[in-house]
Amino acid sequence: MKSQSPTKQVVTSHLPKDTVRETVESIVVAFILAFLFRTFEAEAFVIPTGSMAPTLMGQHKDLDCPQCGFTFQVGVKEDPRWDISGCTCPNCRYVINFEHDYDRIPTSFKGDRIIVSKFPYEFGDPSRWDVAVFKYPATAKTNFIKRIVGLPRERLRVLHGNIYTKPDGATDFKIETKPPEKVLAMLQMVYDNDHCLPNYIAKGLPARWTSATAAGSSAWQPSEDYRTFELKAPTQDQALLRYEHRTPDANDWAALKYNPDSPNTRQRLSEIPADPVVDFCAYDTGFRDEPYLGAYAVGDLALECELEILRSEQADPRGGEAVLELIEGGRAFRCRIDLSTGDATLLADDLPSFKPTAKTAVRGTGRHRLRFSNVDDQLLVWVDDALVAFDAPTRYELPWQGPSERDGTPASIAVRGVAARLSHLRVLRDVYYLTEQESRGIASQDNNPVALNGSREPMEFTLAADQFLVFGDNSPKSKDSRLWTRSDEFGKPEYYVSRELLIGKAMFVYWPHALDTIPGTGMTLPPALQWVPNFARRRFIR
């Protein structure tokens, strides 16, 4: 019996310690599991409307333009009685009539299905430019999705399509600059030269990209399909390839359709003016609603191209250069690349001391994908999809200027001293945020973008603690903070979203609409297979 006592004592003395340890371990494990659950806590939502188009799609149709082949989306309403009968291509501006231009009425699809993470806003502060889901303040049972543009404790101004802020204690408004990944996410197509129309160009439709070179110098020679331009021999002067924003309207397309070989048609097409780029959004051009074709000049643009430097015995031994140029408000903003060293320099009219420089891989012979943007008073450059780091800030400060005739040719590429080839030319624009004054109908009264960008009243908001301002990327068709008219109990306007109404941050489009055709063929899928999602459009939300 004595020999058992120690054992008994050992057992009885360790039970409480084991129990405590197990309890503590259970609590720790439970806490870790709860934390991990919170970390990955998410909810699925369906985008109901097109207020965030083209970033996120509501109920819509996918279309291929019957003239230029450009793929785009146009919004429709959920009620089939309001199905649309046509729209306008954003690339060539052909006015599409579904009954005449397609074998069948294009299918209407539900909106994007997205994953929304609740964790970022439970343990951190929302950031400007986040795409957020929240409860609509007027009826908290309804979920809305917009982009956060205003943060607590600041004064915010909307003017000329841009966002300006003045935090507490500051004296001046300053433009809010988007991070590079947001710039890329929010750019919208203006013109993709891979979808040009050589047959119509032969009949007098103005080519958007044209060569302009000093007398006696070699010029850019277009390929038969006008998609590629080649500078066969080096020139001591800059060989300039210039984009002219000449967009045919419905009457121009009617003339091309019914009288394509008429001298009157050719004359008419030759008179299409080169106007500034405007806030046109193809998603909003369905026939049932009044189509919004854009009325306000957008100066925040981006230029993309593929530049190939060719071997040539006549190349300038000192090396050549390439210059990408964008025009805003009559001013030129340039990225100049020394092709012998790869050194890039940024330049701006009226700013002689603004000269940030950087090293790039664009030197010697070879092919590179270039992108140059002027968005929110900041110049950015990408080479082969990698952002270029400059030795000084690339943000600049200049007083705003309205568009001029120079803005009708808002982009160009110049090469000197080498033989070269240019292809995959694209012009894009930033989101243009309309003020309440603009969005309530001024655009429909006068469609002259130069005149409309004269003097306009800004729209201003004051945000207190835990208050956020939210706008839709599809500014002409977004019911957001700019247009909410409710008031609090004291009669003060409530245009903000309170922090407690924020649900989470939109993270991922996990289920774009199902396919109804075989990609790249146009062949209709059997009904039994029309559930396969369009995996190519699954993406993270920026």
Side-chain angles (χ1 to χ4, degrees), residues 352-462:
S353 62
F354 179 80
K355 293 183 179 180
T357 60
K359 288 286 187 182
T360 76
V362 187
R363 58 182 178 270
T365 58
R367 181 184 303 172
H368 296 280
R369 183 73 181 163
L370 307 179
R371 182 188 297 117
F372 176 45
S373 72
N374 174 26
V375 174
D376 301 330
D377 291 359
Q378 178 176 241
L379 305 183
L380 297 173
V381 179
W382 291 260
V383 174
D384 299 325
D385 293 322
L387 184 68
V388 174
F390 284 83
D391 63 357
T394 63
R395 181 170 174 167
Y396 60 86
E397 291 188 17
L398 282 168
W400 183 84
Q401 287 186 174
S404 66
E405 291 186 6
R406 196 177 182 187
D407 290 76
T409 54
S412 65
I413 305 165
V415 170
R416 178 189 58 78
V418 295
R421 183 181 295 119
L422 281 167
S423 58
H424 304 301
L425 295 150
R426 304 202 311 170
V427 178
L428 306 97
R429 70 168 180 88
D430 187 26
V431 171
Y432 183 98
Y433 289 118
L434 278 72
T435 64
E436 181 182 18
Q437 181 188 42
E438 292 168 335
S439 64
R440 291 194 183 280
I442 293 181
S444 63
Q445 298 175 15
D446 184 352
N447 203 35
N448 183 338
V450 174
L452 286 175
N453 277 273
S455 58
R456 289 197 303 278
E457 292 296 322
M459 192 175 187
E460 295 189 1
F461 306 85
T462 300

Side-chain angles (χ1 to χ4, degrees), residues 147-151 156 158 461 463 467-471 481-482 495-497:
R147 194 177 294 275
I148 294 176
V149 299
L151 300 178
L156 185 142
V158 185
F461 306 85
L463 298 169
Q467 295 179 356
F468 299 86
L469 207 67
V470 293
F471 289 174
S481 291
R482 297 167 302 142
Y495 36 73
Y496 55 84
V497 175

Side-chain angles (χ1 to χ4, degrees), residues 320-340:
E321 70 174 7
V323 181
L324 281 68
E325 180 181 271
L326 294 169
I327 303 295
E328 180 182 13
R331 297 189 182 101
F333 299 86
R334 303 179 181 90
C335 174
R336 177 174 294 152
I337 302 175
D338 186 322
L339 298 176
S340 64

Side-chain angles (χ1 to χ4, degrees), residues 23-233:
T23 301
V24 171
E25 287 176 350
S26 298
I27 292 173
V28 171
V29 169
F31 178 80
I32 291 173
L33 289 175
F35 181 77
L36 289 174
F37 175 76
R38 282 293 185 183
T39 299
F40 295 102
E41 183 182 350
E43 190 172 348
F45 290 87
V46 178
I47 305 300
T49 70
S51 67
M52 281 296 294
T55 305
L56 295 170
M57 299 298 168
Q59 183 103 346
H60 68 282
K61 295 180 185 289
D62 274 356
L63 303 169
D64 292 324
C65 176
Q67 294 295 343
C68 71
F70 186 77
T71 299
F72 65 101
Q73 291 76 37
V74 62
V76 298
K77 296 189 176 180
E78 292 189 70
D79 190 336
R81 293 174 300 175
W82 292 95
D83 200 10
I84 60 175
S85 58
C87 56
T88 302
C89 172
N91 197 61
C92 69
R93 298 298 182 93
Y94 177 70
V95 181
I96 300 170
N97 185 308
F98 295 155
E99 293 185 358
H100 295 162
D101 291 309
Y102 296 114
D103 295 333
R104 61 185 178 89
I105 301 298
T107 303
S108 292
F109 298 106
K110 295 289 186 181
D112 290 334
R113 290 168 172 81
I114 66 171
I115 292 293
V116 175
S117 174
K118 301 179 180 180
F119 172 72
Y121 297 163
E122 291 178 353
F123 292 91
D125 294 326
S127 298
R128 198 186 316 275
W129 312 118
D130 280 357
V131 178
V133 173
F134 56 91
K135 296 291 185 182
Y136 178 40
T139 57
K141 295 180 180 179
T142 305
N143 295 329
F144 272 32
I145 183 166
K146 310 288 180 190
R147 194 177 294 275
I148 294 176
V149 299
L151 300 178
R153 301 185 185 280
E154 68 182 10
R155 181 81 175 165
L156 185 142
R157 172 181 290 174
V158 185
L159 183 62
H160 307 310
N162 294 317
I163 302 296
Y164 300 81
T165 61
K166 184 172 68 171
D168 281 352
T171 56
D172 298 320
F173 282 94
K174 291 189 178 298
I175 194 168
E176 281 297 334
T177 303
K178 301 180 190 71
E181 67 275 11
K182 299 296 183 181
V183 171
L184 294 180
M186 297 173 69
L187 287 175
Q188 301 182 16
M189 187 61 63
V190 173
Y191 185 70
D192 185 343
N193 197 61
D194 284 351
H195 295 274
C196 62
L197 295 164
N199 293 337
Y200 286 117
I201 291 173
K203 294 181 181 297
L205 184 69
R208 300 281 188 98
W209 286 95
T210 58
S211 182
T213 310
S217 298
S218 300
W220 293 99
Q221 298 299 317
S223 59
E224 289 187 7
D225 60 7
Y226 280 88
R227 295 182 181 181
T228 302
F229 296 83
E230 187 167 333
L231 187 64
K232 297 182 180 296

